[in-house]
Amino acid sequence: MRSQAAWQALTRRNLLVTLWPWRSIAYLMTSAVVGAVMLVVVLVSLISGALLALVLVGIPLLVVLGLSGIPVGALERRRLWIIDSEPVESPHRVPDQPGLVAWARLRFSEQATWRELAYTGLLITVLWPMELLAVVYGIAGPMLAMYSPIALEESGEFRLLKFWLIDSYPEAFAAALLGAVLLALFIYPLTALAVLHGILARLLLGARETDEAQRVIELTRSRTRLVEAFEAERRRIERDLHDGAQQRLVSLTMTLGLAKLTRGDERTDLVHKAHGQAKLALAEIRDLIRGIHPQILTDRGLPAAVADVADRSPVPVEVSMTLPSRLPEAVEATAYFVVSEALANTARHSDARQASVTGRMDGDRLVVEIGDDGVGGADAAAGTGLAGLADRVSVVNGRLMLSSPVGGPTLLRVEIPCASIDPSR
């Protein structure tokens, strides 16, 4: 089934024997429920915001008005499956930086947010009352008429309308027949009304070409930052090799050369010195390799690798990570480096006494949370590497969320979908 499946069924002769009329009625009835509930929520929010505006100069009222359409839009995109099996993609972009402020700033700048707000206004003021009346008069009325014979038998008479008192079975069966005919006739306009609502919802709540173009731009910027980060990492590795292991290997070569030219105890001392230099060079190379991709991650998986990082952290770290099986390599590598960078930031910036790392599967998503009891105030714009982590996570279609109020605590949450990752990558 493709887009506008209910509309396609509406143009066929066998509409009455399909499920689409009842799905359309269900869509209209749930619209009435959602609209009525949101009307109450918005009114309560506006009243609360207006009261708080006396103290906070209208900021709560602005936030309520501006962001109230976002949850409604998310719900309505999912509810469209009732009459349309084609999914509606969210038009919102992923923020470049973690945190609530960055998220709210991006949402206020998106046209999709204001389209969702406009849809919410239509839903709570026009759509749900109109659709509720349509369902009541188009379904409840005819079904009440079809109930006439049963009502007559129970009470001896039945008033269908103000001017129609049914007190005989011929009238009752005639009313029931009329109700059945009206129900069959009203099916068509009710289905059409549901289809029109669905088209409006898809138009206002779905992604547009401008949204996709902006998403491509953001994706390009993210990839550019990753390329720059990888280039910086390559230069760091080159510098570490040149200044560290290479210098030790040069010193080792010179020491061994001197050992060849000497005799006796002096040669033995030089050999011992060369042995120590070789061990130091080997240790530096191992540390460098572990920074690129640790062997323990390849051999034993993410929980063991995270435990190893926690053991080497100067801040005590409590690890709780239970996974049912090995995850795709890209997922494990991304989660490992997020944990490594987060714990490094904790040690450098947070003044924390305790940190924690938890990991679990939530459906087909890996959820990793890194927290500490430090001073908080983490900011992606302050050069703490959070923007780089967000870019790294976005490569595997994941999300990174940060809560770090001034004074702490700090909680970094990463969600990475595993089903969408190709294990062969």
Side-chain angles (χ1 to χ4, degrees):
M1 292 180 292
R2 299 300 294 171
S3 179
Q4 298 183 4
W7 172 258
Q8 294 177 355
L10 185 62
T11 60
R12 299 171 184 169
R13 295 180 179 178
N14 63 342
L15 173 66
L16 295 178
V17 296
T18 66
L19 291 176
W20 287 113
W22 305 109
R23 294 179 67 167
S24 300
I25 293 170
Y27 184 71
L28 295 176
M29 293 179 66
T30 53
S31 293
V33 173
V34 173
V37 171
M38 281 305 304
L39 177 60
V40 174
V41 171
V42 170
L43 288 177
V44 172
S45 300
L46 288 175
I47 294 172
S48 302
L51 294 176
L52 290 176
L54 299 175
V55 180
L56 300 180
V57 200
I59 294 177
L61 185 60
L62 178 62
V63 172
V64 169
L65 288 175
L67 301 181
S68 61
I70 294 178
V72 177
L75 174 62
E76 290 296 287
R77 281 189 289 271
R78 288 171 173 80
R79 203 169 59 84
L80 266 176
W81 73 267
I82 300 177
I83 60 168
D84 191 347
S85 58
E86 185 74 10
V88 182
E89 186 177 357
S90 173
H92 294 295
R93 306 193 306 272
V94 178
D96 290 335
Q97 301 176 355
L100 181 60
V101 174
W103 177 86
R105 185 185 301 116
L106 176 62
R107 292 295 174 261
F108 271 112
S109 66
E110 291 179 313
Q111 293 183 1
T113 302
W114 305 107
R115 294 200 303 267
E116 290 173 332
L117 181 60
Y119 176 87
T120 302
L122 287 174
L123 179 64
I124 65 178
T125 58
V126 178
L127 294 180
W128 84 265
M130 177 180 65
E131 293 171 358
L132 179 60
L133 289 175
V135 172
V136 169
Y137 284 100
I139 299 297
M143 293 188 71
L144 184 62
M146 294 170 64
Y147 178 72
S148 298
I150 301 175
L152 180 63
E153 183 177 356
E154 291 178 351
S155 61
E157 65 178 14
F158 177 61
R159 184 174 293 279
L160 181 60
L161 299 171
K162 291 183 178 180
F163 57 85
W164 190 358
L165 178 63
I166 299 175
D167 56 5
S168 65
Y169 281 103
E171 285 185 304
F173 284 110
L177 179 60
L178 177 62
V181 173
L182 290 177
L183 180 62
L185 291 177
F186 287 155
I187 284 296
Y188 288 89
L190 288 174
T191 304
L193 181 60
V195 168
L196 291 175
H197 187 164
I199 293 175
L200 176 65
R202 181 178 288 274
L203 178 65
L204 292 179
L205 305 178
R208 297 185 176 182
E209 291 184 2
T210 54
D211 299 325
E212 292 297 328
Q214 187 63 37
R215 187 173 300 177
V216 170
I217 293 174
E218 295 298 329
L219 186 61
T220 302
R221 291 175 179 172
S222 177
R223 297 298 188 270
T224 301
R225 289 193 297 268
L226 279 175
V227 170
E228 293 174 351
F230 291 151
E231 179 63 19
E233 184 70 8
R234 183 194 64 79
R235 290 194 296 268
R236 183 192 68 79
I237 294 172
E238 181 181 2
R239 183 174 61 253
D240 290 346
L241 284 173
H242 180 272
D243 297 340
Q246 178 177 315
Q247 296 300 323
R248 293 194 180 279
L249 291 174
V250 170
S251 178
L252 170 63
T253 302
M254 295 177 62
T255 302
L256 291 175
L258 290 174
K260 290 174 58 178
L261 301 176
T262 58
R263 295 289 186 272
D265 293 339
E266 187 178 358
R267 170 182 287 186
T268 302
D269 294 337
L270 289 172
V271 169
H272 283 301
K273 181 179 179 182
H275 182 254
Q277 292 172 341
K279 291 195 294 183
L280 290 175
L282 182 60
E284 288 193 358
I285 293 174
R286 284 176 176 172
D287 290 339
L288 183 61
I289 293 174
R290 181 161 49 188
I292 300 173
H293 191 89
Q295 189 64 32
I296 189 173
L297 181 62
T298 302
D299 295 340
R300 299 175 56 190
L302 184 60
V306 169
D308 180 64
V309 173
D311 290 339
R312 292 185 280 111
S313 173
V315 177
V317 181
E318 180 180 353
V319 178
S320 175
M321 182 168 290
T322 303
L323 303 177
S325 61
R326 292 295 298 268
L327 303 177
E329 182 180 348
V331 174
E332 290 190 336
T334 301
Y336 172 80
F337 284 110
V338 167
V339 172
S340 298
E341 180 67 19
L343 292 180
N345 286 340
T346 296
R348 287 195 296 262
H349 307 294
S350 71
D351 293 332
R353 293 174 296 178
Q354 182 72 34
S356 64
V357 178
T358 62
R360 67 183 187 279
M361 294 299 299
D362 184 4
D364 64 347
R365 304 176 72 88
L366 171 65
V367 178
V368 178
E369 295 181 342
I370 306 101
D372 65 65
D373 60 356
V375 296
D379 184 5
T384 56
L386 292 174
L389 287 182
D391 290 337
R392 184 186 287 271
V393 171
S394 69
V395 171
V396 289
N397 301 320
R399 297 191 302 171
L400 184 145
M401 292 157 282
L402 175 68
S403 172
S404 184
V406 176
T410 296
L411 179 64
L412 182 69
R413 177 185 173 96
V414 177
E415 298 179 1
I416 306 175
C418 299
S420 62
I421 303 299
D422 184 2
S424 64
R425 290 176 57 184

